[in-house]
Amino acid sequence: MMKTVSLTLLATTALIGATHAQSRGELVVYTYDSFTSDWGPGPVVEEAFEAVCDCDLTFVGAGDGAALLSRVQLEGARSDADVVLGLDTNLTARATATGLFADKPAGLPTPDLPIAWTDPIFTPFDWGYFAFVHEADLADVPTSLKALGESDLSIIVQDPRSSTPGLGLVMWVDAAYGDEAAAVWAALADNVVTVTPGWSEAYGLFLEGEADMVLSYTTSPAYHLIAEDDPSKSAAAFDEGHYMQVEVAGILKGSDQPDLAAEFIQFMATDGFQGAIPTTNWMYPAFTPAGGLPDGFETLITPETALLLPADEAEARRAAAIETWRAALSQ
């Protein structure tokens, strides 16, 4: 009898605990696939936020970054998402124009970015520079996008219509070369082995030896160095500079959990979130955690020139830049 009572008491206590843990309901965050992977920030962030939110945090992978916005636009006010995490400044003007996003919470700290941040809707959570990653022993590493196009090296890139890195490369060429962008793409087209929907597929193919270089980030070699004790990957430094990416999150107006959504955005600026970024998302944190950057980040290249189009200008130039890319690769 005592055993039965004890088991019943334990079951009741567990039920109460589970109910309490989710007493404020569920917060749904749409993000890109690599964020939700076992090795991405998702599991770490989920555990840390649920420890303080009295809620259930659910990440939903929705392809790569650019695909996120397309999904939210398609779903509109009916979307199950409360927060969208993984857009960048090449997409924020377009996202704002949808009217689907609410203002960010007040009182957030100032992000630690190479640029001033004044966006009233979106909050940055990390940043980095696009780069072509290669084996460290690759001979005759190109020193510019033009030199890459003139070489015989094979590359893998991502589709700018679905991927933020792919869009970043398109804007990189456009920002660096302007009227010469079509000629640069015409030269690069011969180097492209394949175009993938997102970053994960492209980087996986590179690691399988399918190309000499892959579009990724200056921070990508840190993963191999820190997580795998493997110094065999490098990022090529380009003379024209490197295009910057600032990744952001925003709250949807249609959220049925606006308070929890605001708390999540505020949590993004804390060590519980930012501390996971360098060694899970392999980017620079937007709000420097108390422990700073891990050993190994000091080995990364630092571009002498940072390229970044303002959000409105990026939106104005995006369609034409993508068409220049498409026309070159369709020849």
Side-chain angles (χ1 to χ4, degrees), residues 19 47 50 61 170 194 306 318:
T19 303
E47 181 178 359
E50 286 185 345
V170 165
T194 190
R318 178 178 55 83

Side-chain angles (χ1 to χ4, degrees), residues 275-292:
I277 291 298
T279 56
T280 57
N281 223 32
W282 302 100
M283 296 278 278
Y284 294 105
F287 302 87
T288 303

Side-chain angles (χ1 to χ4, degrees), residues 34-35 37-42 44-45 223 273 275-283:
S34 62
F35 195 96
S37 66
D38 291 341
W39 46 265
V44 177
V45 171
Y223 162 74
F273 188 111
I277 291 298
T279 56
T280 57
N281 223 32
W282 302 100
M283 296 278 278

Side-chain angles (χ1 to χ4, degrees), residues 100-329:
L100 295 172
F101 289 86
D103 287 348
K104 66 186 180 184
L108 289 167
T110 301
D112 184 13
L113 299 172
I115 59 171
W117 191 260
T118 59
D119 194 304
I121 291 176
F122 295 100
T123 303
F125 63 90
D126 69 14
W127 65 279
Y129 297 101
F130 295 114
F132 280 91
V133 172
H134 58 88
E135 296 289 340
D137 60 0
L138 180 69
D140 300 321
V141 176
T143 57
S144 69
L145 289 164
K146 278 188 174 181
L148 176 57
E150 293 167 358
S151 76
D152 294 326
L153 296 171
S154 57
I155 62 175
I156 298 172
V157 299
Q158 299 88 23
D159 193 323
R161 296 165 295 190
S162 58
S163 165
T164 50
L167 181 56
L169 176 59
V170 165
M171 304 311 295
W172 184 1
V173 175
D174 189 65
Y177 290 100
D179 293 340
E180 296 182 61
V184 173
W185 271 119
L188 285 170
D190 292 337
N191 303 82
V192 176
V193 173
T194 190
V195 177
T196 64
W199 175 88
S200 296
E201 302 95 326
Y203 207 79
L205 289 172
F206 165 70
L207 293 179
E208 292 170 5
E210 296 298 322
D212 296 313
M213 307 180 84
V214 62
L215 175 66
S216 193
Y217 297 88
T218 62
T219 46
S220 296
Y223 162 74
H224 301 283
L225 181 63
I226 297 171
E228 301 179 333
D229 193 25
D230 176 10
S232 68
K233 305 296 184 292
S234 297
F238 282 180
D239 295 338
E240 66 267 81
H242 291 249
Y243 199 85
M244 185 188 302
Q245 181 182 48
V246 180
E247 294 193 296
V248 303
I251 300 170
L252 289 174
K253 286 181 179 177
S255 168
D256 58 5
Q257 292 279 17
D259 292 340
L260 271 178
E263 287 181 28
F264 180 79
I265 298 297
Q266 291 162 338
F267 177 77
M268 279 195 340
T270 69
D271 284 2
F273 188 111
Q274 294 294 303
I277 291 298
T279 56
T280 57
N281 223 32
W282 302 100
M283 296 278 278
Y284 294 105
F287 302 87
T288 303
L293 295 173
D295 292 343
F297 268 67
E298 76 282 357
T299 67
L300 303 175
I301 66 168
T302 301
E304 293 186 7
T305 302
L307 303 172
L308 183 66
L309 295 174
D312 290 344
E313 187 176 350
E315 174 60 17
R317 295 166 64 166
R318 178 178 55 83
I322 291 176
E323 178 56 27
T324 299
W325 165 87
R326 189 204 62 78
L329 267 64

